Amino acid sequence: MSTTEEFDPALDEAVREVVTHLPRPRAGKDLTRTDAFRAQWNTAVELGWTGILDDADFTDPGSPESRELLDAACGAVTALARAGFALPLRQTLVARYATAEALPADAIAVHPTAYGVWEPAATALVAADGTVSMPVDGGTADEVDLAGRPYRLMYEMGEGGDEAGEALPRRVADVAELLLLQEILGAAEGAVAEARRYVTERVQFGSPLIKIPAVRTIAGELTVSLRQLDTAVHEARRRFRAGDEHSLHFALITAREVASAVSTEVTRAAHQLHGAMGITEEASLHWRTKLLWADRDEGVFSRDRGLDALPADEVELWTLTTPARAGT
Amino acid sequence: MTDTSEDLRRRVRELVAEWDFTPRCDSWASGYDTDFSQELGRRGLLAVTWPKEFGGAEGTNVDRFAVSEELLRAGAPVAAHWVGERQIGPSLLRHGTRELQEEFCPELARAKYRFALGMSEPDAGSDLAAARTRAVRDREGWRVTGRKIWTSGAHRATHLYLLARTSSEEDKHAGLTEFIVSTDSPGITVSPILDLRGEHHFNEVVLEDVHVPGHWVIGEVGAGWQQVVGQLSFERGGPERFLSTYPLLTAVIRAGLADHTGLRELRALAGRLQILRRWALENARAMDAGHTPVTQAAMSKYLGNKFEMDVIEWARPLMPRADRNIHALYDQAVATSPASGIRGGAAQVMLSVIAKGHK
Ligand SMILES: Cc1cc2nc3c(=O)[nH]c(=O)nc-3n(C[C@H](O)[C@H](O)[C@H](O)COP(=O)(O)OP(=O)(O)OC[C@H]3O[C@@H](n4cnc5c(N)ncnc54)[C@H](O)[C@@H]3O)c2cc1C
């Protein structure tokens, strides 16, 4: 799959190389209670992924330094998801970016933009104003989402979703949303690659499944879905660099909408193609699917999310849907 | 986008604002106004990618994309020049002899010549290479006999582009040749086929021993298949594959008809519109870089078709509060909707092209 804008292929290669040697946890558990999780997290910390945004400032998001840091963060998050690993990397990157305080290198840091995901396992909580506190074990019943990530129920946290988001610094919220989109994109790419590999290798009726027109049709649809998501995410990234808040907000909101639809399409179609084998924990599709579902549903409190970003007339619609210029 | 294309956009908007027309859906296929097309030509807004000596402006495909987008955005009547300017001129410039280029390109750039596409036949639809129309050499050129169907605009065109068999080979892709045929040649009968609105846009064209001058062959005899495949990127990858229902979409927005559910759905539609516009721009850029983006163009067409259908579904429940003009746009969109997934290559065939292109 060619993407409209490749991120650093060396980084992708490095992540792939590292994760192939990492153990997978068993399915259906709280990931943080497995040895595999600890090994994975330690590796991410040792490789310096968690600190990528420590010095990021993004006041000039189009500058070469900002661009490099954002690309690296997006690259690491996407590559990890592409390999089907659910780690608190994205959330930690955002939390560390959101605070001026120094955190231990191996901290699992969580910020309100994480919507409670990983919070029960957090070793540092970064508040909306950037202050850091160490979590106290409040004895709240932790939940585990579809990806095996522990999370805190929002109603128990007493927060109202989008209203809570309003109080957050805009840039932090934008980075969090962008990284979430990148993670969805990575997981979707991984899922599609697995499905495609399966139908190319699996022989039934005397030839590979991909030779059957109906299978090819589904494979074609998957390609279109994925490509849509890739375009939407990269458009948001370009607009982040361009620095216009209104057009970025529109791109993030609509990209999230596209991501939700594509996650559903990809998980359905990839599993259909992969047959029974895809369901098992031995199949790497299994892990990507669960991450896709969990990410898709994360923080979606209201069906009205982002309606304020919609254009009111034709000229605005045309302007907001015009691709960001090259070079951004 | 470059400054040139921004300037082109401005000039199109100017003309559109001056011209007296009623915006319509599917205007590139059904909005026929020869005067408008010729005015575009006079203002240098057609054939912008072609060499100056053939009536062009030596611009890029991105420039042409800018013009096309603005025209479709306005629902302007562009069918008279669309096919000739979109794919016949470029095909002549790529494969035609200099003589053919001199004879046709300047006239196409002014919309004096208007083309219809004689590709499909009763037994050659998705499987276009099964075409049976036959061309046989004689002393003055060629004699063509056969039957073309679904030939849009043939009743108003000055010329036909024609794909015909010039030899019988085992491989059906071999032995095909591209021709230009004058529509007033003796032996041509054009009969209307009415569409779902009872409108006459496409035709059946019967050719009985029709004379074609020897030099009206496009490119090489027998290389028609390879050449026609190149046309398909132009045919499939442009903004007309997703902007056919744009006038409806924006009329509903402008009138403030969207209810709460409508606004929620608009979020997804707007996101996809943004994606489709990026893809079409990238297709144009790929062409400027000398590529033939076959797979990418098939993706644009496939998703564009879905988008157009979804715009209709989005607008449908909002129609009770709409005025007469919006109803007219809605009716146009609905009645042309089945065509959107068929013309220029059926949806399933697009998916097959996409799957093959992404092994
Ligand atoms: C409004 C309109 C305007 C047109 N204008 C022109 C024109 O100007 N000039 C011209 O030459 N032609 C024109 N066409 C014809 C158009 O190119 C053909 O209709 C198209 O290529 C499909 O061919 P068909 O209609 O014979 O469908 P068929 O080939 O009979 O196919 C029927 C259906 O079968 C399925 N199918 C076919 N093959 C496959 C496959 N390999 N895999 C999976 N599914 C498949 C598809 O879903 C397809 O829709 C026009 C068509 C329309 C609707």
Side-chain angles (χ1 to χ4, degrees):
Chain A
M1 177 79 209
S2 64
T3 55
T4 42
E5 189 185 345
E6 298 289 351
F7 62 85
D8 185 0
L11 181 65
D12 186 35
E13 192 49 51
V15 173
R16 210 172 343 183
E17 173 65 25
V18 167
V19 297
T20 46
H21 302 300
L22 288 175
R24 293 271 185 192
R26 298 301 307 272
K29 296 242 166 55
D30 176 347
L31 287 176
T32 58
R33 298 186 200 281
T34 64
D35 291 341
F37 172 81
R38 272 180 287 278
Q40 291 168 8
W41 186 242
N42 289 341
T43 306
V45 172
E46 277 162 27
L47 293 175
W49 298 343
T50 52
I52 293 174
L53 295 184
D54 280 7
D55 298 324
D57 128 5
F58 296 138
T59 40
D60 175 10
S63 72
E65 303 76 50
S66 294
R67 188 183 172 134
E68 202 177 306
L69 290 175
L70 188 73
D71 284 357
C74 289
V77 167
T78 312
L80 210 54
R82 191 182 288 127
F85 283 83
L87 286 180
L89 176 64
R90 158 166 72 86
Q91 292 80 359
T92 297
L93 283 168
V94 174
R96 295 178 79 105
Y97 162 58
T99 181
E101 296 181 34
L103 296 175
D106 65 348
I108 294 178
V110 174
H111 180 264
T113 49
Y115 302 112
V117 176
W118 296 111
E119 201 183 303
T123 55
L125 295 175
V126 176
D129 64 2
T131 54
V132 179
S133 61
M134 294 305 142
V136 275
D137 191 1
T140 327
D142 301 341
E143 302 292 324
V144 174
D145 71 13
L146 285 160
R149 309 178 302 188
Y151 72 102
R152 192 135 293 171
L153 286 172
M154 289 310 289
Y155 77 88
E156 286 179 356
M157 294 165 65
E159 298 200 22
D162 275 358
E163 297 94 73
E166 292 304 315
L168 296 169
R170 200 65 256 170
R171 278 262 171 267
V172 180
D174 291 344
V175 171
E177 192 68 14
L178 202 52
L179 290 181
L180 168 60
L181 287 166
Q182 291 284 162
E183 192 169 279
I184 295 177
L185 175 61
E189 284 174 352
V192 171
E194 275 308 299
R196 196 172 286 139
R197 184 193 56 70
Y198 183 84
V199 294
T200 312
E201 292 172 2
R202 169 82 166 159
V203 173
Q204 289 289 280
F205 306 105
S207 59
L209 288 171
I210 189 68
K211 297 279 178 208
I212 300 173
V215 170
R216 208 186 284 156
T217 298
I218 302 178
E221 272 169 345
L222 267 178
T223 304
V224 177
S225 285
L226 188 56
R227 178 82 186 183
Q228 274 185 77
L229 179 57
D230 177 81
T231 302
V233 175
H234 282 101
E235 184 66 31
R237 219 158 121 189
R238 279 195 196 94
R239 292 186 188 194
F240 182 88
R241 292 196 292 264
D244 176 55
E245 192 50 57
H246 183 44
S247 100
L248 170 63
H249 188 44
F250 174 80
L252 286 171
I253 288 296
T254 52
R256 185 68 194 275
E257 195 70 18
V258 169
S260 299
V262 168
S263 300
T264 302
E265 285 160 19
V266 163
T267 48
R268 274 186 200 160
H271 275 287
Q272 191 62 42
L273 291 183
H274 208 300
M277 179 54 82
I279 297 168
T280 67
E281 64 179 348
E282 279 78 32
S284 50
L285 177 60
H286 172 117
W287 301 98
R288 280 131 178 155
T289 304
K290 294 202 294 191
L291 185 56
L292 265 179
W293 279 332
D295 277 2
R296 179 194 61 187
D297 301 343
E298 193 177 301
V300 182
F301 301 102
S302 151
R303 287 168 195 262
D304 293 343
R305 193 171 178 280
L307 291 190
D308 59 324
L310 288 177
D313 61 32
E314 192 276 335
V315 175
E316 203 186 352
L317 174 69
W318 194 255
T319 310
L320 286 172
T321 56
T322 298
R325 275 168 179 268
T328 46
Chain B
M1 248 153 277
T2 62
D3 292 339
T4 324
S5 46
E6 281 308 322
D7 181 54
L8 287 165
R9 284 181 188 273
R10 189 187 46 74
R11 284 160 55 199
V12 174
R13 286 198 289 264
E14 258 168 36
L15 171 56
V16 161
E18 286 166 26
W19 205 261
D20 183 20
F21 72 99
T22 306
R24 61 169 295 157
C25 290
D26 208 39
S27 69
W28 62 278
S30 344
Y32 211 100
D33 178 347
T34 310
D35 292 339
F36 182 73
S37 291
Q38 292 181 350
E39 184 59 26
L40 282 165
R42 260 191 294 280
R43 297 193 185 195
L45 293 168
L46 295 184
V48 293
T49 59
W50 306 0
K52 289 195 175 130
E53 58 179 318
F54 299 133
E58 296 182 1
T60 61
N61 282 291
V62 171
D63 294 337
R64 181 177 178 276
F65 164 72
V67 173
S68 304
E69 261 206 342
E70 290 295 333
L71 287 168
L72 297 165
R73 174 187 182 189
V78 290
H81 71 266
W82 200 257
V83 162
E85 198 258 0
R86 176 182 68 188
Q87 64 199 89
I88 301 303
S91 185
L92 292 175
L93 291 169
R94 206 182 263 196
H95 306 291
T97 58
R98 176 142 191 112
E99 190 184 5
L100 216 51
Q101 292 167 353
E102 283 172 355
E103 187 174 355
F104 284 93
C105 290
E107 299 301 313
L108 279 166
R110 287 190 282 162
K112 292 279 184 209
Y113 285 171
R114 295 175 304 279
F115 268 75
L117 295 177
M119 295 184 184
S120 306
E121 297 184 8
D123 293 325
S126 301
D127 185 12
L128 182 59
R132 290 207 289 226
T133 292
R134 183 162 285 282
V136 183
R137 243 186 246 272
D138 74 356
R139 244 184 264 157
E140 287 107 52
W142 298 83
R143 314 279 329 172
V144 182
T145 301
R147 186 180 287 249
K148 293 289 172 182
I149 197 166
W150 318 123
T151 324
S152 303
H155 54 306
R156 299 198 258 214
T158 55
H159 297 82
L160 280 184
Y161 157 92
L162 194 87
L163 186 67
R165 196 158 288 288
T166 42
S167 60
S168 305
E169 325 272 333
E170 199 159 309
D171 176 5
K172 66 184 174 188
H173 298 94
L176 289 168
T177 302
E178 297 181 296
F179 294 93
I180 294 173
V181 180
S182 173
T183 44
D184 57 15
S185 309
I188 292 194
T189 314
V190 177
S191 320
I193 304 175
L194 300 188
D195 65 15
L196 287 159
R197 301 188 78 208
E199 290 182 359
H200 173 199
H201 297 295
F202 53 26
N203 304 274
E204 180 178 42
V205 179
V206 177
L207 303 109
E208 282 170 298
D209 202 30
V210 174
H211 166 69
V212 178
H215 68 287
W216 279 15
V217 168
I218 307 175
E220 270 178 61
V221 172
W225 182 255
Q226 291 85 316
Q227 293 176 194
V228 75
V229 168
Q231 271 190 50
L232 296 178
S233 304
F234 289 96
E235 189 173 345
R236 294 173 179 162
E240 65 270 43
R241 299 300 176 182
F242 59 88
L243 289 178
S244 300
T245 55
Y246 187 78
L248 171 64
L249 173 72
T250 53
V252 172
I253 293 177
R254 230 180 263 124
L257 297 185
D259 56 9
H260 211 79
T261 309
L263 286 177
R264 287 175 182 160
E265 291 168 357
L266 180 59
R267 206 171 28 189
L269 283 178
R272 279 158 67 203
L273 177 62
Q274 176 187 295
I275 292 167
L276 286 160
R277 292 186 63 198
R278 160 77 61 188
W279 287 6
L281 173 63
E282 283 179 2
N283 292 340
R285 284 193 181 139
M287 288 181 194
D288 283 333
H291 305 305
T292 306
V294 177
T295 311
Q296 182 57 41
M299 282 208 242
S300 294
K301 182 174 185 303
Y302 179 75
L303 188 69
N305 168 218
K306 278 176 90 166
F307 173 78
E308 291 183 347
M309 300 300 108
D310 290 345
V311 167
I312 298 171
E313 280 310 294
W314 172 76
R316 189 166 51 79
L318 307 173
M319 281 304 107
R321 293 200 296 124
D323 67 17
R324 192 171 284 120
N325 296 334
I326 299 178
H327 271 282
L329 292 168
Y330 175 76
D331 291 353
Q332 288 158 10
V334 172
T336 45
S337 62
S340 161
I342 299 173
R343 62 185 173 197
Q348 281 72 15
V349 176
M350 294 304 99
L351 285 175
S352 183
V353 171
I354 295 163
K356 279 188 208 153
H358 278 271
K359 287 204 179 100

